[in-house]
Amino acid sequence: MDERMSEEAAAVFDALGARYERAFEGLTGQQAALRWLTERLPRGARVLDVGSGTGRPVAEVLARAGCAVTGIDVSPAMVELARTQVPEARFELADVRTYEAPPHGFDAVCAFFPLLIMSRAEVESSLKRMCGWLTPGGYLVMATVPGDYDNIDMTWMGHHVTVSSLTADDYVHRLGTHGLDVLFTDTTTFHPSGDHQAPETHFFCYARRPEAGTESR
């Protein structure tokens, strides 16, 4: 794992704090994804929120729907804020690249934009790890800024970051390779609030691990 990039991500989100939540309020693609997911999960479903941030809206919505939510984030400030704002969920200071989760231990994994401030190799390995955490029949709901780039330096929300990603088609292909059925994709444009925020292209994807005994042959 690239420790420098992990520290960079933690520092950026420590500095942003609640401002990140305000900048991305009203993200309709995320709201639609949460409605879709909560309609399919029973009460008590075990859900992992990767890159849980302030806890809102993802962990909050899922906890209120009766799910047992665990959130992980690399930012100590975000973890503390989430614990305060969403006491119904459990939050841990952890990195998706090294987090120890039981294989097939979650009924759903949410990953809204955590796979960016890392190398492309880490994006790929993190995606594979998350797929492996799903129980048969479990759902992965994710969003990212798609693109064919690796370790690109940029300024985002006033902070220097080094980012990597995959194209939308490559995400779909890799999810299939890791045993998931892709059920829905959508690419949208969102303009975060704030005078100096540029519009972002967002790729949303819903996928599911087949039920035991129904895997494609």
Side-chain angles (χ1 to χ4, degrees):
M1 186 181 76
D2 189 328
E3 294 288 350
R4 178 186 60 83
M5 294 182 77
S6 179
E7 292 170 1
E8 178 181 277
V12 168
F13 285 99
D14 279 349
L16 288 175
R19 187 161 71 90
Y20 176 80
E21 180 183 325
R22 293 192 297 270
F24 287 87
E25 281 181 331
L27 184 52
T28 56
Q30 185 180 58
Q31 293 168 349
L34 290 171
R35 285 194 300 270
W36 183 91
L37 184 60
T38 54
E39 288 171 358
R40 287 159 175 80
L41 292 177
R43 294 188 66 84
R46 300 157 299 169
V47 183
L48 180 66
D49 181 13
V50 178
S52 47
T54 69
R56 295 174 176 167
V58 180
E60 183 177 64
V61 168
L62 292 164
R64 287 182 176 177
C67 298
V69 182
T70 299
I72 62 171
D73 203 285
V74 298
S75 161
M78 288 293 197
V79 170
E80 289 305 313
L81 184 56
R83 288 171 175 167
T84 299
Q85 295 195 142
V86 191
E88 307 93 336
R90 181 167 63 92
F91 297 94
E92 300 179 26
L93 183 64
D95 192 311
V96 63
R97 292 167 286 190
T98 56
Y99 181 64
E100 294 295 334
H104 313 304
F106 290 97
D107 301 300
V109 174
C110 293
F112 292 103
F113 308 103
L115 305 183
L116 284 167
I117 305 179
M118 56 179 69
S119 69
R120 179 177 288 177
E122 290 173 332
V123 172
E124 295 170 353
S125 65
S126 296
L127 187 67
K128 181 178 181 180
R129 299 183 88 235
M130 292 191 301
C131 291
W133 297 337
L134 289 173
T135 189
Y139 297 96
L140 173 68
V141 177
M142 62 161 291
T144 193
V145 179
D148 184 11
Y149 50 91
D150 188 18
N151 289 340
I152 298 298
D153 293 327
M154 62 178 291
T155 299
W156 177 75
M157 295 191 72
H159 295 270
H160 171 269
V161 293
T162 303
V163 297
S164 305
S165 192
L166 309 174
T167 66
D169 287 344
D170 202 12
Y171 271 110
V172 170
H173 171 73
R174 288 177 182 277
L175 289 171
T177 298
H178 300 323
L180 273 58
D181 294 329
V182 174
L183 307 178
F184 172 83
T185 65
D186 190 27
T187 301
T188 62
T189 300
F190 180 77
H191 196 149
S193 65
D195 294 340
H196 306 293
Q197 303 311 318
E200 297 182 355
T201 298
H202 291 167
F203 171 67
F204 289 86
C205 183
Y206 313 167
R208 190 185 192 199
R209 179 171 294 284
E211 297 278 2
T214 64
E215 293 85 353
S216 300
R217 292 176 172 84

